[in-house]
Amino acid sequence: MGRGAGSTALGLFQILPVFLCIFPSVTSPCKILKCNSEFWAATSGSHHLGTEEAPEFYDLMVQHNCSKDGPTSQPRLRTLPPGDSQERSDSPEICHYEKSFHKHSAAPNYTHCGLFGDPHLRTFTDTFQTCKVQGAWPLIDNNYLNVQVTNTPVLPGSTATATSKLTIIFKSFQECVDQKVYQAEMDELPAAFADGSKNGGDKHGANSLKITEKVSGQHIEIQAKYIGTTIVVRQVGRYLTFAVRMPEEVVNAVEDRDSQGLYLCLRGCPLNQQIDFQTIRSAQATEGRARRKGPSLPAPPEAFTYETATAKCREKLPVEDLYFQSCVFDLLTTGDVNFMLAAYYAFEDVKMLHSNKDKLHLYERTRDLAPGNMAPSETTPALWVALLCLSQFWLCLL
């Protein structure tokens, strides 16, 4: 970042607290965005931290008062002994979600959320949306963890975006886990937390949180047994995909219910951030048929027509559901065949993580917010203005 850009960013950081004071009604929902923006600015030059630098990393979280994300005490770094990745047989019962919370009741109801491609969002309520959401946006925020993604343009000047950065904060929980931060970026999918560890720290039930590398640099899985949660992060081509399986009880464990409307996995994208890709797809199909009747124009080698995109997506996605349609849309807007693989792997993650096998395929995209969600008219204008401003503010820092 040049001197001029640095001065601009500094000025924006000085203005942001004033902005939040001017709009007090949005202060509570924007806490995590404000905290994360300050924190990322302070760590923007330290994304490749070694083990010896991790204490400074956590000191910065303390300095920027990220208290909403849980205790920020500095973890003690240690070398994991052989076999430490295995769950200890004497781990406290409270560190196993199904054993502790549902010992005498029915099994919990698990939900799924996924984000992939240009980007396409499947919420915890099986609402499917295609969104713009350029910049930094929160996917999940509850009493146990926060997830935030940053989406950047696929090509300069393009409206197509994809996920280039992912941050997951697991909050300290009783005698199970210390606070842990996981960060992934383009071309960097680590198989460890930011402090170099692969489990939940030094507490007795630390192995109820652990990272497993499935494919080096391409696929990791995080098991958080103490909250019954499984997270899958992939790098497909240059960009990231995210999928999670989480009990409804954990999804709804929030301190401030009024701010839930801001979190994409629960409420979906704001209406003004949604893209009706099915209408665009129909127009592209019509345009393709019209082009065949007239003189053909040479296309760049990486470009797809509607017909070639459809044929390519059918290689991996034989059922013409919304994952198939997303694949076609992404090939037409980006020309990057890796987006076909992103749709394919997103559906593979659904098959693994979704609890209802009858709802794996979705055929009708939902433009409006899901039933029971906050309607756009019920959302205060200042709230959306603040969120969009903060989103653009993040983009300026990238």
Side-chain angles (χ1 to χ4, degrees), residues 181-209:
V181 178
Y182 180 79
Q183 293 176 294
E185 299 184 48
M186 289 192 301
D187 301 320
E188 184 180 358
L189 188 71
F193 294 109
D195 63 2
S197 67
K198 293 191 175 185
N199 72 354
D202 291 327
K203 293 185 177 180
H204 199 51
N207 286 315
S208 60
L209 173 65

Side-chain angles (χ1 to χ4, degrees), residues 35-173:
C35 175
N36 282 351
S37 64
E38 294 175 340
F39 173 65
W40 272 102
T43 59
S44 59
S46 308
H47 288 219
H48 304 278
L49 296 173
T51 302
E52 70 280 357
E53 296 173 279
E56 180 184 354
F57 184 90
Y58 277 84
D59 286 344
L60 285 167
M61 293 189 72
V62 177
Q63 292 172 20
H64 293 284
N65 193 28
C66 297
S67 56
K68 187 177 187 295
D69 298 332
T72 55
S73 57
Q74 177 178 312
R76 287 179 290 139
L77 304 182
R78 62 192 180 99
T79 302
L80 299 178
D84 193 51
S85 61
Q86 302 299 315
E87 189 168 6
R88 287 157 52 170
S89 59
D90 62 343
S91 180
E93 188 175 89
I94 197 170
C95 299
H96 192 294
Y97 179 80
E98 291 189 8
K99 289 181 180 178
S100 62
F101 292 147
H102 298 276
K103 191 173 183 179
H104 304 292
S105 61
N109 182 30
Y110 287 95
T111 60
H112 163 74
C113 177
L115 186 76
F116 67 98
D118 185 12
H120 309 283
L121 172 71
R122 181 171 181 160
T123 72
F124 284 129
T125 57
D126 290 317
T127 297
F128 195 97
Q129 299 170 343
T130 299
C131 308
K132 303 172 188 175
V133 290
Q134 185 172 329
W137 291 79
L139 277 183
I140 300 173
D141 179 58
N142 58 44
N143 293 344
Y144 302 99
L145 80 162
N146 305 118
V147 181
Q148 181 168 288
V149 293
T150 299
N151 303 311
T152 54
V154 174
L155 297 170
S158 171
T159 57
T161 62
T163 302
S164 58
K165 185 181 297 183
L166 171 75
T167 303
I168 307 173
I169 300 175
F170 294 91
K171 303 177 184 180
S172 177
F173 180 69

Side-chain angles (χ1 to χ4, degrees), residues 43 45 75 80 91 93 118 134 171 177 206 209 234 244-245 249 290 296 299 319 339 351 386 391:
T43 59
L80 299 178
S91 180
E93 188 175 89
D118 185 12
Q134 185 172 329
K171 303 177 184 180
V177 298
L209 173 65
R234 299 177 186 266
V244 62
R245 180 178 189 257
E249 184 177 20
S296 59
V319 178
F339 281 82
K351 291 194 290 185
S391 173

Side-chain angles (χ1 to χ4, degrees), residues 1-24:
M1 181 180 292
R3 181 177 301 175
S7 300
T8 301
L10 180 60
L12 286 171
F13 282 120
Q14 293 169 339
I15 291 171
L16 183 59
V18 177
F19 173 80
L20 293 172
C21 292
I22 294 174
F23 294 97

